[in-house]
Amino acid sequence: MAEDHSTTPLLQPTDASTDEKAGPPPASLDDAIESFTGGTSKALLWLAFLASLAWVFDAQQTFINVFTDAQPTWHSTAGVGAAAATATQCSLPRDSWAWDHPKCASIISEWDLQCSPAALVSLPGSAFFVGCLAGGLLLATLADSRFGRKNMLFFSSLSMSLSAALTAVSPNLFVYSSMRFVLGFSRATVGTNALVLATELVGRRWRVTVGIMGLLCFTLGFSSLPLMAYLLRNHSWRILYLLTSMLAFIYSVIVFFVLKESPRWLLVRGRRDEAMQILGIKTLECCSDVFEGEEEEEEDGLFSSMRVLYEKKWVFVRLVVAMTVGFGIGMVYYGLPLALGNLGTSNLYVSVGLNALSEVPSSLLILVLIERLSRRKALLGFSVLSGVGCIMCSVFGRSWWRTVAEMVAFFGGCSGFGVLLVYSVELFPTKVRNSAVMMVREAVVLGGVVAPVMIAAGREEEGVVSFRMFGLVIMFSGLFVVWLPETRGRRIFDTLEEEEMMGKNDSMCRAC
């Protein structure tokens, strides 16, 4: 009798003693990882942690310009007179004031940008985010095609390290801005590759924990910057770039020699022996009806996964909705730190450190609650919480109540960002997961690009208009989550066919 391949499990043990005790064979790769490793394999968890460490170096390059491009403090020199106390640098003779720190401590002081137009001074920051958008669009699909998650993580981490090193030797603002664009382009997929690879290495029991691990590593990288910058405050800003570049380079070497590829991606690409070795399985039998069809699509090219995102209607709708939610969250996540530049503290190192550490309780809360709440309710709740906090900022004015409202808004934005990342991994199958998650992160970055424009528009009214717009946008975009399917407790799928079948089953259940 011919074997029915449609019911053949993805993974199954052949040891006789195991077969006697085992129940039905695992029906999917997700079930197989749980069956063979229990989702608690120390080796796989270690590899997932190693992949998550990429967020540390990603955060450092994302926020390093907070210190390297900072406006340095200055003081008037003796003999200028009392009028200098209320004067600006640009209204005083150059020899009547001096920088508090060495001139090389910031690009502002080194290149005499203190009186330059705001658009020129902000050029490096804008170039970085434009580079992130370009890199995300052009590099996102490569991890889903022939290169894989590990190779793309190595390539993006290494190129980020080299770009940071080259940025450190920039001779002027325009070269520096160009290198910031290259740096943004290089690091665009670091976080996405790390998140997807880490979550695909473990079973569903540890998936959320591993996802939150990445966010905690991002917080670690963010919070390490103030300490590093403080210790180097009397040295050139170039040293900070070189130091972070060296750390990222060391990590890249470790990734190349130690980290393993995603077994899910290997199976989808037909590289079954490698998947067996990573999972520690002696025998592997794959559903030919599923994986042979996937292998045939390899000839479609490197960007075939991006085409699938737009050709499949349900994938496209799901992606657009997730990106809409991400846009609103990104506007608050990146915009609030810019809008709250002056909260009564003159210590940049302390204020940035506190902002970074405020993400820790957010990540821990998600870790505790996300398995108890539906993904949709959690994401909607955090979006509304952040929106209400933003609107209350416009009501209270400059008082400690406004500070509390600001922290609530930022907390809601951070929590929403964390839930969205975990949710995005579960919404899309392995075939297009990296591309889809990258597009969602692109929407978050786009929200960060728009935020400074809204901040500038509302600056004359002490940020009232900006805060109201932030609140309305994140709440309105959060409402779109009702069009997304719930994924709590559900296994993640590897092929589009499996995902489509699950959608049909859900529709039939609702009809009944």
Side-chain angles (χ1 to χ4, degrees), residues 90-106:
C90 300
S91 63
L92 294 173
R94 182 60 186 87
D95 58 355
S96 64
W97 58 271
W99 299 110
D100 291 341
H101 296 286
K103 188 176 182 180
C104 61
S106 168

Side-chain angles (χ1 to χ4, degrees), residues 46 52 62 66 188 208 356 393 445:
W46 162 248
S52 299
T62 300
V66 172
V208 173
C393 288
V445 173

Side-chain angles (χ1 to χ4, degrees), residues 5 8-11 27-29 263-272 284-298 430-431 493-495 497-498:
H5 290 287
T8 302
L10 300 182
L11 303 171
S28 69
L29 181 57
R264 297 178 183 277
W265 180 83
L266 290 172
L267 280 175
V268 169
R269 303 302 296 180
R271 296 161 60 177
R272 304 169 187 177
L284 172 66
E285 296 184 7
C286 294
C287 299
S288 58
D289 292 343
V290 174
F291 289 107
E292 287 181 6
E294 295 296 330
E295 294 173 40
E296 293 173 357
E297 295 181 5
E298 186 174 345
T430 302
K431 177 68 178 178
F493 297 100
D494 301 296
T495 67
E497 290 75 12
E498 287 180 319

Side-chain angles (χ1 to χ4, degrees), residues 117-354:
L120 185 64
V121 176
S122 61
L123 182 60
S126 300
F128 176 80
F129 279 109
V130 172
C132 291
L133 291 173
L137 291 173
L138 295 177
L139 302 178
T141 63
L142 300 184
D144 282 328
S145 57
R146 300 171 188 172
F147 292 99
R149 281 74 158 116
K150 175 198 169 180
N151 289 335
M152 281 305 299
L153 180 58
F154 165 72
F155 170 78
S156 55
S157 298
L158 180 62
S159 58
M160 178 180 69
S161 168
L162 298 178
S163 300
L166 292 175
T167 304
V169 297
S170 301
N172 55 57
L173 178 66
F174 297 103
V175 175
Y176 177 73
S177 299
S178 300
M179 291 310 306
R180 286 290 293 173
F181 172 87
V182 175
L183 181 56
F185 186 94
S186 301
R187 57 74 51 192
T189 61
V190 170
T192 302
N193 293 330
L195 175 66
V196 173
L197 176 56
T199 52
E200 288 183 351
L201 282 168
V202 297
R204 71 171 70 105
R205 176 183 175 185
W206 289 93
R207 189 178 305 131
V208 173
T209 303
V210 166
I212 301 304
M213 186 190 303
L215 297 179
L216 290 174
C217 287
F218 188 85
T219 302
L220 175 62
F222 188 8
S223 58
S224 68
L225 272 176
L227 177 60
M228 297 166 64
Y230 178 77
L231 295 176
L232 298 172
R233 64 189 182 281
N234 291 321
H235 296 78
S236 172
W237 57 270
R238 304 172 190 271
I239 303 299
L240 188 58
Y241 270 106
L242 291 175
L243 177 59
T244 56
S245 170
M246 180 183 65
L247 296 176
F249 179 80
I250 295 174
Y251 173 76
S252 302
V253 174
I254 296 175
V255 166
F256 182 80
F257 288 104
V258 179
L259 197 58
K260 304 296 183 182
E261 184 55 85
S262 163
R264 297 178 183 277
W265 180 83
L266 290 172
L267 280 175
V268 169
R269 303 302 296 180
R271 296 161 60 177
R272 304 169 187 177
D273 292 339
E274 296 177 61
M276 292 169 55
Q277 184 178 6
I278 293 174
L279 292 174
I281 300 173
K282 297 180 180 180
T283 302
L284 172 66
E285 296 184 7
C286 294
C287 299
S288 58
D289 292 343
V290 174
F291 289 107
E292 287 181 6
E294 295 296 330
E295 294 173 40
E296 293 173 357
E297 295 181 5
E298 186 174 345
E299 62 183 14
D300 289 346
L302 298 177
F303 298 96
S304 59
S305 60
M306 186 64 75
R307 185 168 61 253
V308 171
L309 293 177
Y310 299 103
E311 289 181 347
K312 291 282 188 178
K313 182 178 179 181
W314 67 269
V315 179
F316 179 74
V317 172
R318 191 175 294 187
L319 179 63
V320 170
V321 172
M323 290 178 66
T324 302
V325 178
F327 176 82
I329 291 176
M331 187 172 292
V332 171
Y333 183 76
Y334 290 112
L336 275 184
L338 298 176
L340 310 179
N342 258 328
L343 291 178
T345 176
S346 59
N347 194 318
L348 178 64
Y349 309 102
V350 173
S351 60
V352 174
L354 291 177

